[in-house]
Amino acid sequence: MKVIEIINQNKGKRKLSFEVLPPLKGNGTENLFATIDKLKVFDPLYINITTHHSEYVYKELPNGQFERNRVRRRPGTIAIAAAIRNKYNIPVIPHIICSGASAEDIEYELLDLQFLGIEDLLLLRGDKAKDDRIFTPTKGGYTHTTELIEQVNNFNDGFFNDGTPIKHPGEKFTFGVAAYPERHEEAPNLEMDIKYLKMKQALGAQYAVTQLFYDNNKFFDFVKRAREMGVTIPIIPGIKPLAKLSQLTIVPRTFRCDLPEALAEEVIKCKTDDDAKKLGIEWGIQQCKELYAAGFETIHFYTVSAVDSVKEIAKEIL
C-alpha cells in the first residue's frame, strides 16, 4: 500500500510518523533500532530515512599541511530503509536529494529501490554542503527539486535519464516533498515558496511534510494561504521537541524558525538540559494536541537528540 493510501485510510484517527538518521560511517545499527523500538509501540504510519551530502574533512599531513577530502559520514540510506522494513514491517520512505548527487547517482538509487520493492520517496533539494556559501549542484546534478521530480517522473514513464527505454519497468514511485511554514531560507517570500510547492504538486507530489516549527499560528496561516493558492495535497506538520539547553538558540537559528512569545518567555527560564527537555515535552504536547484538534491527524516527528521526548509526547497525545 502506498503511503498516501495509508494516510487517507487513517483519516479520523490520531497517528504519527517519524524520521531517523542512518548510522555514522563505521557504526552499527544498534542505536537506530533502539530508537525504533521505543517508538514502534505507537504504530507509526511510516518511517522516513534521511540522507546527507558529503562534507569536507581536513587531514593533517606529515609536513604540517592539511589535505581536504570529501567524506560522506552517513551513507546507507537505501540499505537502512530495507533493513527497517524487513525487521519491523513498517513502511519506509527514504529521502532522495539533489545535494551531492548527479543524475546518474540518482538513477542508480532509483534502480536499487526498485529492486527492493520500496516505492515511496521523499524528494528534496537537500542542504548545501557544510563549507559552501551557497547551494552548488554537483556536476551533472540538479539545482531544484522540480528537476529531481522530473527525473523520477521520466523513470516512472519507462525511460532512463539519457532517454533510453527501460526494458522492464517496475512499479511506479510515489513521492512527497517538503514545505516551509516560515518559508525556505532562500525564498524571497512565503508566496513564492507556496508557488514552488504548487508546482511540485502539479508534477505529481502527493503530500508535503513541513520543516519543523514551534508556532502553530504560523503553520495554520501557511496552510490557509497554500489552500487559497491552489495547494490541495495533504500538508503534514513536522515537529521537533526542544531537548537540550543548546537547542533553545541553535534550532531556531539553524532551521530559520521563530519561537512564539509564550515559548520564548519559558525558554529564558531554562538553566539546565533537564529544564530544556521538560519544556520541550510540555510545549510539544500542547502543540500536538492543538494540531490534532484543528484536524491535522498525522504528525511527523524529527527524532534526532529527542527520541525520549517524542516518546513522552506520544504517550500523552495518542
Side-chain angles (χ1 to χ4, degrees):
M1 187 179 296
K2 302 288 188 180
V3 162
I4 188 62
E5 295 171 343
I6 295 171
I7 292 171
N8 290 333
Q9 182 178 286
N10 282 276
K11 283 186 176 180
K13 304 175 185 177
R14 292 186 173 189
K15 303 296 288 185
L16 60 78
S17 59
F18 61 91
E19 180 176 293
V20 296
L21 275 70
L24 284 167
K25 182 179 178 182
N27 287 0
T29 57
E30 291 82 5
N31 290 338
L32 171 66
F33 290 157
T35 292
I36 297 172
D37 288 339
K38 288 180 180 180
L39 300 179
K40 68 178 182 180
V41 295
F42 301 108
D43 191 25
L45 291 184
Y46 56 85
I47 299 174
N48 275 25
I49 303 97
T50 67
T51 192
H52 292 268
H53 193 292
S54 58
E55 59 186 83
Y56 288 121
V57 174
Y58 295 86
K59 179 181 179 181
E60 187 173 4
L61 302 175
N63 63 5
Q65 295 182 334
F66 286 84
E67 178 181 70
R68 187 173 75 167
N69 298 302
R70 279 199 176 277
V71 174
R72 285 192 65 195
R73 292 187 179 274
R74 292 184 186 274
T77 295
I78 293 173
I80 288 298
I84 292 172
R85 191 186 62 171
N86 291 337
K87 182 177 176 66
Y88 295 98
N89 196 30
I90 296 172
V92 291
I93 305 180
H95 293 189
I96 303 295
I97 65 174
C98 305
S99 182
S102 67
E104 184 178 27
D105 295 330
I106 291 164
E107 189 167 275
Y108 285 125
E109 290 177 332
L110 297 177
L111 284 167
D112 286 344
L113 288 164
Q114 191 176 72
F115 294 152
L116 291 166
I118 295 173
E119 300 159 6
D120 293 291
L121 313 172
L122 193 70
L123 303 183
L124 309 161
R125 191 200 71 175
D127 297 330
K128 66 181 179 64
K130 186 176 180 180
D131 296 304
D132 288 349
R133 186 176 59 84
I134 60 174
F135 181 85
T136 304
T138 295
K139 184 178 179 181
Y142 303 127
T143 303
H144 303 292
T145 307
T146 49
E147 298 169 295
L148 171 59
I149 291 174
E150 287 171 352
Q151 179 175 351
V152 173
N153 285 340
N154 287 336
F155 193 93
N156 281 344
D157 289 339
F159 294 95
F160 289 117
N161 202 52
D162 63 1
T164 304
I166 301 173
K167 291 182 179 180
H168 302 286
E171 289 293 321
K172 294 181 183 295
F173 291 105
T174 59
F175 55 89
V177 294
Y180 300 86
E182 298 173 70
R183 81 173 176 79
H184 189 277
E185 62 176 312
E186 296 174 19
N189 53 54
L190 188 58
E191 288 71 22
M192 184 64 73
D193 226 11
I194 294 174
K195 285 180 181 178
Y196 282 123
L197 178 58
K198 187 178 178 182
M199 189 184 303
K200 295 172 190 176
Q201 172 183 275
L203 288 170
Q206 296 192 342
Y207 62 94
V209 182
T210 76
Q211 175 67 282
L212 61 90
F213 63 92
Y214 297 95
D215 191 335
N216 282 356
N217 288 331
K218 290 192 174 183
F219 171 74
F220 294 144
D221 180 64
F222 167 77
V223 173
K224 179 176 180 291
R225 292 165 75 172
R227 298 304 184 217
E228 290 171 349
M229 291 176 66
V231 176
T232 59
I233 56 176
I235 299 175
I236 299 170
I239 301 297
K240 179 180 175 64
L242 297 169
K244 295 181 180 180
L245 194 60
S246 59
Q247 293 176 346
L248 302 181
T249 54
I250 291 174
V251 169
R253 184 171 68 247
T254 301
F255 295 98
R256 308 318 197 264
C257 58
D258 291 334
L259 300 185
E261 184 176 355
L263 177 57
E265 289 177 351
E266 296 302 316
V267 163
I268 60 176
K269 300 176 185 177
C270 293
K271 304 298 182 184
T272 66
D273 282 346
D274 285 343
D275 292 341
K277 183 175 180 179
K278 181 180 178 182
L279 173 60
I281 292 170
E282 291 173 350
W283 187 265
I285 292 170
Q286 171 187 326
Q287 192 176 6
C288 291
K289 284 183 175 179
E290 186 176 28
L291 289 167
Y292 281 139
F296 295 92
E297 297 163 338
T298 299
I299 295 176
H300 186 70
F301 285 97
Y302 298 102
T303 65
V304 178
S305 303
V307 179
D308 291 333
S309 296
V310 171
K311 180 179 178 180
E312 292 305 312
I313 293 169
K315 285 162 57 176
E316 294 296 322
I317 63 173
L318 295 177

